[in-house]
Every structure is written in C-alpha cells, then in structure tokens.
Amino acid sequence: MAIKHLDVLKLLAAAGLVEAIDGDVKRCAHWARLGPGAAAREPAQIGAEVMGNVLLRWNCILQADPAEVAPLYVHKTALALAVCLHRQGFADAELTDAAVAAIAALNAAVALNDTFHRRSADIETLLRSPALMPARRPSQAKAHTAWRAGDVVAMQVGDRHHAFHVLEVSQGAPIVEFYDIVQDTPLAWEHLQGVIARGERLNDGRAYVDRHALYGLQYQPDPAHQFRLLASGIAQGPDNAHLARRSGLYAVTDIFRMARELLP
C-alpha cells in the first residue's frame, strides 16, 4: 500500500517541527496562489516562488554549522520540508536528494521506529513521484505568536543578521521596529547598545518611522533558527527621534515578505 504524506510526517516523531514547516509551506503556497493573476501562472512559477521563500527561512537549519545544529535535526527538517512541499504540489531535485539522504541517515542512527525503516522505500517513491498541486489553495491557521512586547530579536536572512524590538502584539502579530544595524556575524544584545532605529526613506527624501506587523512569527524558540531572542523585558526600543512621523501606525507584512525586502 502506498504511503501518504501525513503518514510520513507522523513517523518523524517531531510534531512541533512538522507543524512549523507545514504552516510555513501553506502560508507561502496560499499567497503564491492568491490574486486575480494566479490562475494564469504556470505551476513551475508558483513552485519556484514557494520554494524560494520557504528555503530562505529553513536554510538557516539546512545550511547551519554542524556544531550549532544536531545533524539528526537537520535530517528531519530536510525530510519534513520535502514531504510538506510535495503535498502542496512542489518539488525540488536538490531538496528531494537531501530528503532521501536523510532517510538513510535516520535509519543508520536508528533515530526512528521500525515502521519508518520498513517504509523507507515507500517514502522515497512518494518523494520521487510527480508532485501534484491540490485544486484548492491551502488555508491559513489563525494568527498567533509566542513572542512578547519587550523582546529584542535577531533575524537571519541569508548570511546577514538584523535585529528588531517588539513594541506590542496585536491580533496575533508582533509589531516590530528594526535597529539600524546589519552584519555578517550573529548579533548579540551588546551589539545593539546605542544603535538607533532604521527608518524608511520615501520619495520626498525624508526618512520615516518604519514599523511592521510581522505575521508568521509564531514560535519561541524558533524551530528554523531564523529568529533568536537576544533580550526580553526591554521597555524602550531603538531611538527613532531622528525619523519623521506619518499617519499609519505600521505596515502589515509577514516573515517571508520581510525576508525578501532584507535581501541585499
């Protein structure tokens, strides 16, 4: 009997990791398939967008230093990503190969139960089968977050590291303001002392206060290791006295669109 996607995910015995990956894949697939022009897009175009957004986040695990992330966690992540993406109709040869290698590594380490070992060939067959996009785009879960006002958070995008302060939480999303700092090595709380707020420069040449409702920032600690808590209970965020004010309180975005904006 052919194995199903949900069966594979259950065999990973990593409910929290699977929930996070599945939610991210569904969020990216939902937005990629939304809008009046979405029906005219080729599945390959939609797939490239979804894969790019999902991997920009989860590569923080897949490409992590082995000294920082346990290899078995990396293998489970690769396999869960491949399965969740395939379930929504998306596949990537490199990720599929990594997932198949992960099956072998998990079996060699006897990390999962006998059923996983026995169904390994079926799992590989599933991953290498054509990925078919469901007729309906996936739904999104109600917004929630475990981050709190006063948290100072590091955010990794590729090889660059940013930081922001959570001002408040509204309707399940942290409202954040970025520090005006970016570097190629991980940030620490000490690096942010005296750093002012990052503004947004508009067409009038002035820099304005730039705040965002960051949907999709849910788990703390973050299973993708993209977001790290640097400090908590910090009442005062970065100084923005040098920035002009505008009528809107904040812009609505999510962690994937924000990551794209922060790419160099």
Side-chain angles (χ1 to χ4, degrees):
M1 181 184 297
I3 196 167
K4 297 180 179 180
H5 297 95
L6 287 178
D7 296 330
V8 182
L9 296 174
K10 289 177 181 177
L11 288 174
L12 286 177
L17 176 64
V18 167
E19 180 183 54
I21 290 174
D22 191 49
D24 283 353
V25 170
K26 286 179 177 177
R27 173 179 286 274
C28 292
H30 177 90
W31 285 106
R33 297 181 61 181
L34 191 64
R41 300 178 70 192
E42 294 292 330
Q45 291 178 300
I46 297 173
E49 178 182 328
V50 173
M51 294 289 300
N53 287 333
V54 170
L55 290 180
L56 183 59
R57 169 162 162 73
W58 286 93
N59 274 341
C60 296
I61 293 294
L62 299 183
Q63 299 176 359
D65 188 324
E68 296 180 1
V69 181
L72 291 181
Y73 187 81
V74 177
H75 292 316
K76 285 190 176 185
T77 298
L79 183 50
L81 279 167
V83 173
C84 289
L85 285 161
H86 191 277
R87 185 185 179 203
Q88 295 300 329
F90 313 116
D92 171 80
E94 185 176 345
L95 180 60
T96 299
D97 288 343
V100 171
I103 295 171
L106 290 165
N107 281 328
V110 196
L112 298 172
N113 62 25
D114 290 341
T115 304
F116 180 85
H117 184 275
R118 191 168 59 252
R119 302 301 304 271
S120 293
D122 297 327
I123 297 171
E124 180 175 352
T125 298
L126 173 66
L127 291 175
R128 295 201 183 280
S129 67
L132 303 175
M133 203 159 54
R136 294 183 179 181
R137 65 176 182 268
S139 59
Q140 291 191 76
K142 183 178 179 180
H144 70 276
T145 185
W147 299 84
R148 296 290 178 260
D151 287 345
V152 176
V153 186
M155 178 181 183
Q156 181 181 349
V157 181
D159 295 326
R160 292 157 64 87
H161 299 266
H162 308 258
F164 57 78
H165 176 262
V166 178
L167 289 83
E168 60 178 302
V169 173
S170 177
Q171 299 181 17
I175 311 301
V176 309
E177 186 167 19
F178 278 83
Y179 291 84
D180 193 14
I181 187 173
V182 56
Q183 61 185 45
D184 297 333
T185 55
L187 287 160
W189 170 236
E190 292 73 21
H191 297 144
L192 304 179
Q193 306 311 301
V195 177
I196 58 177
R198 181 188 303 172
E200 181 184 21
R201 192 166 298 278
L202 300 184
N203 292 336
D204 62 4
R206 302 174 71 192
Y208 288 80
V209 169
D210 191 28
R211 293 174 174 174
H212 302 267
L214 201 54
Y215 284 89
L217 182 58
Q218 298 179 349
Y219 304 96
Q220 209 288 97
D222 177 25
H225 291 202
Q226 184 181 23
F227 298 92
R228 294 183 299 108
L229 180 66
L230 301 182
S232 59
I234 306 300
Q236 187 65 44
D239 183 4
N240 60 20
H242 62 294
L243 299 172
R245 268 54 180 170
R246 50 186 169 184
S247 56
L249 296 176
Y250 50 78
V252 175
T253 187
D254 69 11
I255 57 176
F256 300 100
R257 285 174 284 181
M258 178 57 67
R260 286 294 179 190
E261 289 182 22
L262 295 175
L263 280 173

mmCIF file with all atom_site columns, all heavy atoms in Angstrom, residues 2-13:
data_model
loop_
_atom_site.group_PDB
_atom_site.id
_atom_site.type_symbol
_atom_site.label_atom_id
_atom_site.label_alt_id
_atom_site.label_comp_id
_atom_site.label_asym_id
_atom_site.label_entity_id
_atom_site.label_seq_id
_atom_site.pdbx_PDB_ins_code
_atom_site.Cartn_x
_atom_site.Cartn_y
_atom_site.Cartn_z
_atom_site.occupancy
_atom_site.B_iso_or_equiv
_atom_site.pdbx_formal_charge
_atom_site.auth_seq_id
_atom_site.auth_comp_id
_atom_site.auth_asym_id
_atom_site.auth_atom_id
_atom_site.pdbx_PDB_model_num
ATOM 1  N N   . ALA A 1 2  ? 0.541  2.195  -0.881 1.00 0.00 ? 2  ALA A N   1
ATOM 2  C CA  . ALA A 1 2  ? 1.316  3.435  -0.961 1.00 0.00 ? 2  ALA A CA  1
ATOM 3  C C   . ALA A 1 2  ? 1.202  4.218  0.340  1.00 0.00 ? 2  ALA A C   1
ATOM 4  O O   . ALA A 1 2  ? 0.143  4.235  0.975  1.00 0.00 ? 2  ALA A O   1
ATOM 5  C CB  . ALA A 1 2  ? 0.834  4.273  -2.139 1.00 0.00 ? 2  ALA A CB  1
ATOM 6  N N   . ILE A 1 3  ? 2.285  4.862  0.708  1.00 0.00 ? 3  ILE A N   1
ATOM 7  C CA  . ILE A 1 3  ? 2.280  5.660  1.921  1.00 0.00 ? 3  ILE A CA  1
ATOM 8  C C   . ILE A 1 3  ? 1.825  7.082  1.601  1.00 0.00 ? 3  ILE A C   1
ATOM 9  O O   . ILE A 1 3  ? 2.062  7.588  0.491  1.00 0.00 ? 3  ILE A O   1
ATOM 10 C CB  . ILE A 1 3  ? 3.686  5.658  2.571  1.00 0.00 ? 3  ILE A CB  1
ATOM 11 C CG1 . ILE A 1 3  ? 3.616  6.141  4.017  1.00 0.00 ? 3  ILE A CG1 1
ATOM 12 C CG2 . ILE A 1 3  ? 4.678  6.489  1.754  1.00 0.00 ? 3  ILE A CG2 1
ATOM 13 C CD1 . ILE A 1 3  ? 4.886  5.874  4.812  1.00 0.00 ? 3  ILE A CD1 1
ATOM 14 N N   . LYS A 1 4  ? 1.168  7.725  2.544  1.00 0.00 ? 4  LYS A N   1
ATOM 15 C CA  . LYS A 1 4  ? 0.655  9.081  2.348  1.00 0.00 ? 4  LYS A CA  1
ATOM 16 C C   . LYS A 1 4  ? 1.549  10.087 3.069  1.00 0.00 ? 4  LYS A C   1
ATOM 17 O O   . LYS A 1 4  ? 2.287  9.743  3.979  1.00 0.00 ? 4  LYS A O   1
ATOM 18 C CB  . LYS A 1 4  ? -0.785 9.185  2.869  1.00 0.00 ? 4  LYS A CB  1
ATOM 19 C CG  . LYS A 1 4  ? -1.760 8.279  2.119  1.00 0.00 ? 4  LYS A CG  1
ATOM 20 C CD  . LYS A 1 4  ? -3.176 8.416  2.678  1.00 0.00 ? 4  LYS A CD  1
ATOM 21 C CE  . LYS A 1 4  ? -4.148 7.526  1.913  1.00 0.00 ? 4  LYS A CE  1
ATOM 22 N NZ  . LYS A 1 4  ? -5.534 7.648  2.440  1.00 0.00 ? 4  LYS A NZ  1
ATOM 23 N N   . HIS A 1 5  ? 1.428  11.330 2.623  1.00 0.00 ? 5  HIS A N   1
ATOM 24 C CA  . HIS A 1 5  ? 2.263  12.395 3.193  1.00 0.00 ? 5  HIS A CA  1
ATOM 25 C C   . HIS A 1 5  ? 2.109  12.482 4.712  1.00 0.00 ? 5  HIS A C   1
ATOM 26 O O   . HIS A 1 5  ? 3.106  12.559 5.438  1.00 0.00 ? 5  HIS A O   1
ATOM 27 C CB  . HIS A 1 5  ? 1.913  13.746 2.560  1.00 0.00 ? 5  HIS A CB  1
ATOM 28 C CG  . HIS A 1 5  ? 2.175  13.816 1.089  1.00 0.00 ? 5  HIS A CG  1
ATOM 29 N ND1 . HIS A 1 5  ? 1.193  13.578 0.161  1.00 0.00 ? 5  HIS A ND1 1
ATOM 30 C CD2 . HIS A 1 5  ? 3.306  14.099 0.397  1.00 0.00 ? 5  HIS A CD2 1
ATOM 31 C CE1 . HIS A 1 5  ? 1.698  13.723 -1.055 1.00 0.00 ? 5  HIS A CE1 1
ATOM 32 N NE2 . HIS A 1 5  ? 2.976  14.040 -0.942 1.00 0.00 ? 5  HIS A NE2 1
ATOM 33 N N   . LEU A 1 6  ? 0.873  12.474 5.179  1.00 0.00 ? 6  LEU A N   1
ATOM 34 C CA  . LEU A 1 6  ? 0.642  12.615 6.616  1.00 0.00 ? 6  LEU A CA  1
ATOM 35 C C   . LEU A 1 6  ? 1.210  11.439 7.395  1.00 0.00 ? 6  LEU A C   1
ATOM 36 O O   . LEU A 1 6  ? 1.684  11.604 8.526  1.00 0.00 ? 6  LEU A O   1
ATOM 37 C CB  . LEU A 1 6  ? -0.852 12.764 6.898  1.00 0.00 ? 6  LEU A CB  1
ATOM 38 C CG  . LEU A 1 6  ? -1.486 14.109 6.520  1.00 0.00 ? 6  LEU A CG  1
ATOM 39 C CD1 . LEU A 1 6  ? -2.979 14.099 6.800  1.00 0.00 ? 6  LEU A CD1 1
ATOM 40 C CD2 . LEU A 1 6  ? -0.821 15.257 7.280  1.00 0.00 ? 6  LEU A CD2 1
ATOM 41 N N   . ASP A 1 7  ? 1.213  10.261 6.782  1.00 0.00 ? 7  ASP A N   1
ATOM 42 C CA  . ASP A 1 7  ? 1.802  9.092  7.441  1.00 0.00 ? 7  ASP A CA  1
ATOM 43 C C   . ASP A 1 7  ? 3.295  9.295  7.662  1.00 0.00 ? 7  ASP A C   1
ATOM 44 O O   . ASP A 1 7  ? 3.833  8.965  8.721  1.00 0.00 ? 7  ASP A O   1
ATOM 45 C CB  . ASP A 1 7  ? 1.568  7.839  6.607  1.00 0.00 ? 7  ASP A CB  1
ATOM 46 C CG  . ASP A 1 7  ? 0.090  7.484  6.475  1.00 0.00 ? 7  ASP A CG  1
ATOM 47 O OD1 . ASP A 1 7  ? -0.665 7.804  7.414  1.00 0.00 ? 7  ASP A OD1 1
ATOM 48 O OD2 . ASP A 1 7  ? -0.293 6.910  5.445  1.00 0.00 ? 7  ASP A OD2 1
ATOM 49 N N   . VAL A 1 8  ? 3.966  9.837  6.650  1.00 0.00 ? 8  VAL A N   1
ATOM 50 C CA  . VAL A 1 8  ? 5.410  10.087 6.763  1.00 0.00 ? 8  VAL A CA  1
ATOM 51 C C   . VAL A 1 8  ? 5.685  11.106 7.860  1.00 0.00 ? 8  VAL A C   1
ATOM 52 O O   . VAL A 1 8  ? 6.584  10.919 8.689  1.00 0.00 ? 8  VAL A O   1
ATOM 53 C CB  . VAL A 1 8  ? 5.989  10.586 5.423  1.00 0.00 ? 8  VAL A CB  1
ATOM 54 C CG1 . VAL A 1 8  ? 7.503  10.801 5.558  1.00 0.00 ? 8  VAL A CG1 1
ATOM 55 C CG2 . VAL A 1 8  ? 5.694  9.608  4.302  1.00 0.00 ? 8  VAL A CG2 1
ATOM 56 N N   . LEU A 1 9  ? 4.913  12.166 7.873  1.00 0.00 ? 9  LEU A N   1
ATOM 57 C CA  . LEU A 1 9  ? 5.140  13.226 8.858  1.00 0.00 ? 9  LEU A CA  1
ATOM 58 C C   . LEU A 1 9  ? 4.937  12.711 10.280 1.00 0.00 ? 9  LEU A C   1
ATOM 59 O O   . LEU A 1 9  ? 5.673  13.084 11.197 1.00 0.00 ? 9  LEU A O   1
ATOM 60 C CB  . LEU A 1 9  ? 4.209  14.403 8.576  1.00 0.00 ? 9  LEU A CB  1
ATOM 61 C CG  . LEU A 1 9  ? 4.451  15.112 7.225  1.00 0.00 ? 9  LEU A CG  1
ATOM 62 C CD1 . LEU A 1 9  ? 3.377  16.165 6.972  1.00 0.00 ? 9  LEU A CD1 1
ATOM 63 C CD2 . LEU A 1 9  ? 5.840  15.748 7.190  1.00 0.00 ? 9  LEU A CD2 1
ATOM 64 N N   . LYS A 1 10 ? 3.971  11.831 10.476 1.00 0.00 ? 10 LYS A N   1
ATOM 65 C CA  . LYS A 1 10 ? 3.757  11.252 11.799 1.00 0.00 ? 10 LYS A CA  1
ATOM 66 C C   . LYS A 1 10 ? 4.929  10.369 12.222 1.00 0.00 ? 10 LYS A C   1
ATOM 67 O O   . LYS A 1 10 ? 5.318  10.339 13.394 1.00 0.00 ? 10 LYS A O   1
ATOM 68 C CB  . LYS A 1 10 ? 2.462  10.456 11.818 1.00 0.00 ? 10 LYS A CB  1
ATOM 69 C CG  . LYS A 1 10 ? 1.201  11.313 11.750 1.00 0.00 ? 10 LYS A CG  1
ATOM 70 C CD  . LYS A 1 10 ? -0.057 10.446 11.706 1.00 0.00 ? 10 LYS A CD  1
ATOM 71 C CE  . LYS A 1 10 ? -1.315 11.314 11.606 1.00 0.00 ? 10 LYS A CE  1
ATOM 72 N NZ  . LYS A 1 10 ? -2.545 10.490 11.485 1.00 0.00 ? 10 LYS A NZ  1
ATOM 73 N N   . LEU A 1 11 ? 5.517  9.670  11.265 1.00 0.00 ? 11 LEU A N   1
ATOM 74 C CA  . LEU A 1 11 ? 6.633  8.779  11.571 1.00 0.00 ? 11 LEU A CA  1
ATOM 75 C C   . LEU A 1 11 ? 7.879  9.537  12.014 1.00 0.00 ? 11 LEU A C   1
ATOM 76 O O   . LEU A 1 11 ? 8.765  8.958  12.651 1.00 0.00 ? 11 LEU A O   1
ATOM 77 C CB  . LEU A 1 11 ? 6.966  7.915  10.347 1.00 0.00 ? 11 LEU A CB  1
ATOM 78 C CG  . LEU A 1 11 ? 5.957  6.819  10.002 1.00 0.00 ? 11 LEU A CG  1
ATOM 79 C CD1 . LEU A 1 11 ? 6.339  6.143  8.691  1.00 0.00 ? 11 LEU A CD1 1
ATOM 80 C CD2 . LEU A 1 11 ? 5.874  5.791  11.125 1.00 0.00 ? 11 LEU A CD2 1
ATOM 81 N N   . LEU A 1 12 ? 7.958  10.824 11.706 1.00 0.00 ? 12 LEU A N   1
ATOM 82 C CA  . LEU A 1 12 ? 9.126  11.613 12.101 1.00 0.00 ? 12 LEU A CA  1
ATOM 83 C C   . LEU A 1 12 ? 9.179  11.870 13.603 1.00 0.00 ? 12 LEU A C   1
ATOM 84 O O   . LEU A 1 12 ? 10.230 12.259 14.129 1.00 0.00 ? 12 LEU A O   1
ATOM 85 C CB  . LEU A 1 12 ? 9.137  12.953 11.358 1.00 0.00 ? 12 LEU A CB  1
ATOM 86 C CG  . LEU A 1 12 ? 9.529  12.890 9.879  1.00 0.00 ? 12 LEU A CG  1
ATOM 87 C CD1 . LEU A 1 12 ? 9.418  14.266 9.248  1.00 0.00 ? 12 LEU A CD1 1
ATOM 88 C CD2 . LEU A 1 12 ? 10.931 12.342 9.721  1.00 0.00 ? 12 LEU A CD2 1
ATOM 89 N N   . ALA A 1 13 ? 8.061  11.679 14.294 1.00 0.00 ? 13 ALA A N   1
ATOM 90 C CA  . ALA A 1 13 ? 8.010  11.882 15.748 1.00 0.00 ? 13 ALA A CA  1
ATOM 91 C C   . ALA A 1 13 ? 8.582  13.245 16.136 1.00 0.00 ? 13 ALA A C   1
ATOM 92 O O   . ALA A 1 13 ? 9.389  13.372 17.050 1.00 0.00 ? 13 ALA A O   1
ATOM 93 C CB  . ALA A 1 13 ? 8.776  10.753 16.458 1.00 0.00 ? 13 ALA A CB  1
#
